[in-house]
Amino acid sequence: MSIPRPKPEKFRLRRTMMFMNAQKPGLIKDAYIYGADSIMLDLEDAVAENQKDSARFSLYHALKEIDYGNTEVIVRINGLDTPHWKEDIRVCVAGGADGIRIAKTESAQDVKTVEKAVEEAEKEFGVEVGRTLLMAALESPKGVLNAYEICQASDRLFGVALSGGDYRKCMQVKVIPGGIEMLAARGHMLMAARAAGIQCFDTVFTNINDDEGFRAEVKQNVEMGFDGKSLVNPRQINIVHEMLAPTQKEIAEAEKIVRAYREHAAEGVGVFTIEGGKMIDIAFVPGAERVIKLAKASGIYEGDL
Amino acid sequence: MELKTVGTAGTLESSDIMITLEPAQSGGIEIVSFESSVMNQYGRQIKAEVLASLDRLGVKNAKVTVNDHGALDCTVKARVECAYYRGCQCDVDGTYPWGGVIR
């Protein structure tokens, strides 16, 4: 009982973030068995207005007593325009959540407001200041346009996520196969996140019976450069993991780069060629290391790096 | 804080437990009804958890109704605490004692 969770890692692998209603005991008790990288216990939209109090008690005890293992535990709190968010933050910090997802983020100030309340809660509950990570959900054109300032607003911020439902509503568009209605938002948010050096996550795909449509969207996510995706159904987890997994060819190339870099770095050489004549410098190394990490997480890595 | 009115929390869904607390002037903690789908295996443990939670919250007198559908300890505690705060009708946002009497 009450095993404190290890200190959260800011830039861990987050291919899949699975939403779970924090109010439903049947869901939260075995949320980790599905194998998502992160679970997102929801205090916001999934919880009815008259159950906001009840969801916090469930959340607190789940955080304290359920062993989620290596699964990251993030909590989506209610928006800053509601009376709930301050108490939501207190319970997240007291319970030891790894991170907090800020709903409807529209400005850097929104992030700073949450950060201040988180720090106060850390002091109140004797939690190491800085432990609790943040991520921001952009749900409106204003939020998307302010993405860069939002991405830079806090050292705790590991990433931004797009929330398609509200964004589409504001833009007066519906879900279009191929995602033309979301293209500008996705592209803008990705650039802002990369420029600020944080992660970027795509919105949920809600038609759980449309496997083909889901795969097409994940493929586009991968090609655009997303780190991961928010999910609403456990069935979607393995599909994303499989589609984000590197190919054996990519793994072999990454291994060559990492090995060659290590050898050359020891000798003080910064630019070198690998087998096949490709010229490599230090800029290739983080990408190669990421491929190895993904391969390991996908269970397909057989090397020794 | 004292119970002012009937406080209820939880549902009849699987893995959940519904707790109702009714204020009383005296008579201690009286469990007026206790139903559980796992009575034989866990009935005693659930009852003990309900009483321990009420004790932590400082509830001396109350009539308690329990309808369990296989809740884990963490859910039992959560529902007792929620029923209590609802029955107290106090607006305690910003001051819930997480890690204090709620633990």
Side-chain angles (χ1 to χ4, degrees):
Chain A
M1 253 209 232
S2 215
I3 324 112
R5 294 183 55 77
K7 186 171 176 176
E9 187 191 338
K10 188 173 173 190
F11 291 121
R12 57 171 282 155
L13 204 58
R14 296 181 178 93
R15 298 165 296 177
T16 44
M17 306 182 119
M18 173 79 207
F19 275 108
M20 304 265 171
N21 183 346
Q23 157 72 359
K24 299 260 185 209
L27 286 178
I28 55 178
K29 76 178 162 62
D30 32 48
Y32 61 94
I33 64 170
Y34 300 115
D37 290 333
S38 311
I39 54 168
M40 186 89 62
L41 298 173
D42 192 10
L43 295 174
E44 197 210 13
D45 288 353
V47 179
E49 189 62 26
N50 65 359
Q51 299 298 328
K52 296 292 188 192
D53 56 342
S54 181
R56 286 192 205 111
F57 290 104
S58 304
L59 174 72
Y60 180 77
H61 292 293
L63 287 172
K64 282 290 186 194
E65 289 174 35
I66 296 174
D67 181 2
Y68 289 103
N70 291 325
T71 307
E72 182 177 50
V73 184
I74 299 184
V75 181
R76 176 163 76 167
I77 62 168
N78 287 285
L80 301 180
D81 55 348
T82 70
H84 310 300
W85 65 275
K86 278 191 182 165
E87 192 58 48
D88 291 349
I89 288 175
R90 289 182 76 244
V91 72
C92 289
V93 171
D98 297 330
I100 289 174
R101 174 172 166 132
I102 311 167
K104 300 186 178 74
T105 317
E106 298 216 306
S107 65
Q109 187 54 52
D110 288 350
V111 177
K112 289 183 198 296
T113 301
V114 169
E115 182 179 46
K116 183 165 172 277
V118 168
E119 188 174 327
E120 282 168 13
E122 286 172 341
K123 286 174 182 160
E124 178 185 354
F125 295 107
V127 172
E128 181 187 342
V129 170
R131 181 188 187 280
T132 316
L133 301 175
L134 299 177
M135 68 177 288
L138 312 182
E139 312 193 19
S140 66
K142 188 177 173 191
V144 172
L145 283 172
N146 289 335
Y148 189 46
E149 68 161 54
I150 290 168
C151 290
Q152 294 174 295
S154 165
D155 277 346
R156 296 173 188 254
L157 199 77
F158 66 77
V160 275
L162 194 56
S163 193
D166 289 274
Y167 176 80
R168 287 191 185 96
K169 231 184 286 165
C170 294
M171 296 298 288
Q172 304 173 6
V173 294
K174 55 186 182 184
V175 179
I176 307 285
I180 187 74
E181 87 287 12
M182 298 291 283
L183 186 63
R186 284 180 172 134
H188 185 84
M189 187 180 73
L190 276 159
M191 270 195 281
R194 293 294 172 243
I198 64 171
Q199 295 178 332
C200 194
F201 310 98
D202 192 41
T203 187
V204 295
F205 186 87
T206 50
N207 185 355
I208 57 166
N209 294 318
D210 180 8
D211 265 10
E212 204 184 319
F214 180 67
R215 282 177 183 272
E217 186 163 289
V218 176
K219 182 167 181 282
Q220 187 188 62
N221 290 164
V222 175
E223 289 168 353
M224 289 187 83
F226 281 100
D227 290 278
K229 193 167 179 64
S230 305
L231 305 177
V232 287
N233 190 290
R235 273 176 47 199
Q236 300 175 323
I237 296 170
N238 280 341
I239 298 178
V240 176
H241 288 180
E242 188 190 299
M243 293 185 73
L244 272 172
T247 62
Q248 288 301 330
K249 199 177 153 205
E250 287 167 333
I251 296 169
E253 168 119 345
E255 274 195 313
K256 275 186 217 162
I257 293 171
V258 173
R259 281 189 207 287
Y261 169 72
R262 287 186 188 167
E263 283 165 24
H264 287 89
E267 297 160 14
V269 181
V271 182
F272 48 88
T273 54
I274 56 169
E275 214 181 292
K278 191 173 174 185
M279 199 166 88
I280 298 296
D281 64 17
I282 191 163
F284 288 83
V285 177
E289 282 172 342
R290 191 179 130 76
V291 169
I292 304 284
K293 206 172 167 186
L294 264 174
K296 284 182 185 166
S298 309
I300 54 171
Y301 185 66
E302 286 165 358
D304 53 4
L305 277 180
Chain B
M1 288 200 314
E2 268 183 35
L3 283 169
K4 293 195 186 69
T5 181
V6 176
T8 298
T11 69
L12 300 177
E13 289 171 27
S14 172
S15 304
D16 206 347
I17 182 169
M18 190 181 256
I19 302 279
T20 304
L21 303 177
E22 195 184 322
Q25 291 308 311
S26 58
I29 304 293
E30 184 195 345
I31 297 186
V32 290
S33 163
F34 189 108
E35 290 173 45
S36 174
S37 59
V38 289
M39 186 69 94
N40 291 338
Q41 302 95 312
Y42 297 109
R44 256 190 294 181
Q45 189 183 332
I46 291 166
K47 188 174 165 187
E49 200 62 59
V50 170
L51 293 175
S53 295
L54 289 170
D55 186 53
R56 276 196 296 276
L57 293 164
V59 182
K60 298 278 184 283
N61 302 296
K63 289 182 174 168
V64 184
T65 306
V66 177
N67 196 337
D68 169 65
H69 287 81
L72 295 179
D73 283 353
C74 57
T75 304
V76 176
K77 291 187 212 177
R79 300 313 190 203
V80 172
E81 289 157 357
C82 185
Y84 167 72
Y85 278 92
R86 286 178 174 177
C88 290
Q89 289 184 316
C90 292
D91 183 8
V92 291
D93 262 19
T95 57
Y96 278 103
W98 307 113
V101 297
I102 303 172
R103 67 174 188 274

